[in-house]
Amino acid sequence: MTAQELKEKLSEDDIRKLLAEMGATFYYEDDDMWITDTICHHGTKPKLYYYKDSESFHCYTECGQMDIIGVVMGYKGYEQEEFQKAINWICIKLNIDNCEYGFGKQEQISDWEFIRKYRRTAKKEIETKPLIPYDKSILRIFQKLYTQDWIKEGISIETMEKYNIMYSTWQQKIIIPHFDINNQLIGVRGRSLVDEDIDLFGKYTPFKVGRRFYNHSLGQNLFGLNHNMKTIQTKRKIMLVEAEKSVFQTDTMFGEDNFTVALCGSNLTDYQRGLILMLGVREVIIALDKQYQTLDSEECKKWAKHIKDKIIDKLSAYVVVTVLWDSNDLLDYKDSPTDKGKETLLRLMDQKIYVGTNN
Ligand SMILES: [Zn+2]
């Protein structure tokens, strides 16, 4: 049996059974989707979405889009080449007969065809597929209400207006539209204000209206570039932050002089790197959240390594890279360098660390 044949055999119940086998907890389900914890990488957050329509999974933490075989491979720690082990595992768990892999030449050939396809869709094509813009009129269903929470956190109403921030009263979420460099609407994210939701689903979730998801590949954009490109090109520097909120805070601090964009995560994708290099900047300032309690902790070492592997090493051959590193305890745990106001941010910038340029 080939992977394709196996997938065609699987019913919704089978998928559910397999997820349960992997110890998944179902946090949410409706007619269109399920949300479980991220068993694909042994994570605990409910950020693995299953879309019934397309029979595909999306891990919003790190794995991206995949099918059920991909989920099993992640769960079992199989390499891409070992996908037949995942097929066997599924067959055993569901008592599907005659699926022992490797007998018969015909089957083998078709499975190798499959893996070539699988690899391409899993790695490259998804990332570079052009995003189809959404109709901006969707934003009309939201209200122009500005939450006091954000004003307290240093985001002005002016900034919220500039970035088209809205509010959804029925979902109790702040609505953050994502525009690309050409001001096309390419996605909408909701930031929950309900604590239970935050605990369950994380702060940011893809937004759903009716049956349609307004999610997009966040790695295929730099949030805020549509507003800040001119300054970035004039100053020839760019500051990378994790979340949209930091872009809003720096907009309130610096206005037209803002050169900040958000990665919407803590990795730099190849696509984002391409955008940065295209801008012709000389310096990239990395200003991610403080993901460590103390400087001498294991957590801190791990975080530094992550930033080096996922961002610095991808850029240092081309531009000067500097990092904002909170050596003087100016920030609290998990704060963004922009969270404590302009003065603190400027102090961090004064003490930025040069981490390398290879030219
Ligand atoms: Zn995952």
Side-chain angles (χ1 to χ4, degrees):
M1 188 187 305
T2 66
Q4 204 49 48
E5 282 163 5
L6 172 65
K7 282 204 294 185
E8 281 160 15
K9 261 190 201 289
L10 299 180
S11 66
E12 204 174 292
D13 265 357
D14 291 335
I15 304 272
R16 179 188 288 275
K17 227 164 130 187
L18 291 170
L19 290 173
E21 269 305 328
M22 292 182 267
T25 307
F26 285 74
Y27 286 91
Y28 176 84
E29 42 185 302
D30 63 24
D31 292 343
D32 305 323
M33 58 179 274
W34 301 331
I35 303 174
T36 69
D37 39 355
T38 46
I39 47 169
C40 41
H41 62 271
H42 298 270
T44 52
K45 288 219 173 110
K47 293 206 149 193
L48 181 63
Y49 286 58
Y50 176 63
Y51 300 108
K52 296 182 187 178
D53 242 14
S54 56
E55 295 175 358
S56 65
F57 288 87
H58 200 115
C59 164
Y60 285 95
T61 313
E62 50 187 74
C63 309
Q65 192 167 332
M66 64 201 133
D67 58 20
I68 181 65
I69 296 170
V71 175
V72 171
M73 283 163 65
Y75 173 75
K76 300 290 285 179
Y78 295 147
E79 298 294 321
Q80 290 281 3
E81 287 75 13
E82 301 179 296
F83 72 98
Q84 73 273 13
K85 286 190 185 170
I87 295 175
N88 281 345
W89 188 85
I90 291 171
C91 288
I92 290 162
K93 293 297 173 193
L94 296 176
N95 271 317
I96 297 175
D97 277 340
N98 194 22
C99 66
E100 206 50 48
Y101 179 81
F103 302 110
K105 212 171 169 188
Q106 206 51 46
E107 289 181 8
Q108 232 166 354
I109 288 166
S110 45
D111 258 347
W112 280 107
E113 296 276 300
F114 161 75
I115 194 173
R116 273 196 289 274
K117 225 167 69 198
Y118 186 89
R119 268 185 159 160
R120 252 186 284 124
T121 40
K123 288 259 150 75
K124 286 277 173 251
E125 276 184 6
I126 283 170
E127 212 182 340
T128 51
K129 198 172 63 185
L131 297 169
I132 300 155
Y134 296 111
D135 184 351
K136 283 180 199 172
S137 63
I138 175 71
L139 297 175
R140 282 199 224 119
I141 63 171
F142 305 120
Q143 288 78 46
K144 281 200 171 183
L145 289 175
Y146 303 118
T147 160
Q148 202 58 40
D149 296 20
W150 274 21
I151 295 169
K152 269 187 227 147
E153 289 185 77
I155 300 168
S156 71
I157 289 176
E158 233 179 319
T159 294
M160 289 192 253
E161 278 175 344
K162 176 170 163 185
Y163 281 86
N164 286 287
I165 301 303
M166 307 267 193
Y167 188 72
S168 161
T169 34
W170 86 93
Q171 299 199 355
Q172 295 191 53
K173 273 181 182 164
I174 299 172
I175 300 302
I176 308 170
H178 282 232
F179 297 95
D180 70 4
I181 203 165
N182 301 313
N183 278 313
Q184 302 272 16
L185 181 66
I186 50 164
V188 179
R189 281 220 287 179
R191 164 73 158 85
S192 182
L193 290 176
V194 183
D195 281 343
E196 296 91 85
D197 276 7
I198 294 176
D199 290 345
L200 270 183
F201 302 117
K203 283 179 188 164
Y204 296 95
T205 47
F207 198 81
K208 188 185 171 195
V209 178
R211 292 182 69 94
R212 187 144 191 216
F213 271 96
Y214 287 84
N215 52 356
H216 64 100
S217 176
L218 296 169
Q220 225 172 306
N221 193 31
L222 287 168
F223 182 88
L225 191 57
N226 57 327
H227 286 299
N228 300 331
M229 184 161 71
K230 241 180 93 188
T231 307
I232 290 165
Q233 290 191 303
T234 316
K235 291 187 184 286
R236 300 196 70 184
K237 61 182 170 183
I238 190 168
M239 185 160 85
L240 307 178
V241 294
E242 282 187 43
E244 297 97 322
K245 218 174 86 179
S246 295
V247 174
F248 304 147
Q249 287 168 325
T250 48
D251 183 81
T252 300
M253 293 174 201
F254 304 109
E256 290 302 305
D257 290 331
N258 193 16
F259 50 88
T260 311
V261 296
L263 299 172
C264 299
S266 57
N267 302 331
L268 180 77
T269 65
D270 291 345
Y271 192 92
Q272 288 170 330
R273 176 177 69 173
L275 276 177
I276 291 170
L277 298 181
M278 193 188 72
L279 292 164
V281 296
R282 270 192 292 241
E283 180 185 358
V284 176
I285 304 165
I286 300 168
L288 301 195
D289 295 355
K290 182 183 179 180
Q291 300 283 8
Y292 52 88
Q293 303 262 26
T294 55
L295 281 170
D296 54 4
S297 61
E298 214 31 60
E299 195 182 17
C300 180
K301 265 184 235 155
K302 239 180 101 183
W303 185 232
K305 186 180 181 322
H306 172 93
I307 292 176
K308 185 182 179 299
D309 293 347
K310 302 292 182 181
I311 307 182
I312 296 170
D313 286 354
K314 291 183 178 174
L315 291 168
S316 59
Y318 312 98
V319 288
V320 175
V321 184
T322 56
V323 178
L324 302 196
W325 202 249
D326 183 25
S327 313
N328 296 316
D329 257 333
L330 302 172
L331 304 172
D332 290 322
Y333 188 40
K334 304 226 166 168
D335 266 356
S336 153
T338 60
D339 275 339
K340 289 277 183 281
K342 189 171 178 175
E343 207 176 302
T344 303
L345 177 60
L346 290 176
R347 269 183 72 185
L348 288 166
M349 282 171 138
D350 277 346
Q351 300 157 2
K352 69 186 174 187
I353 300 168
Y354 285 79
V355 283
T357 153
N358 295 345
N359 49 23

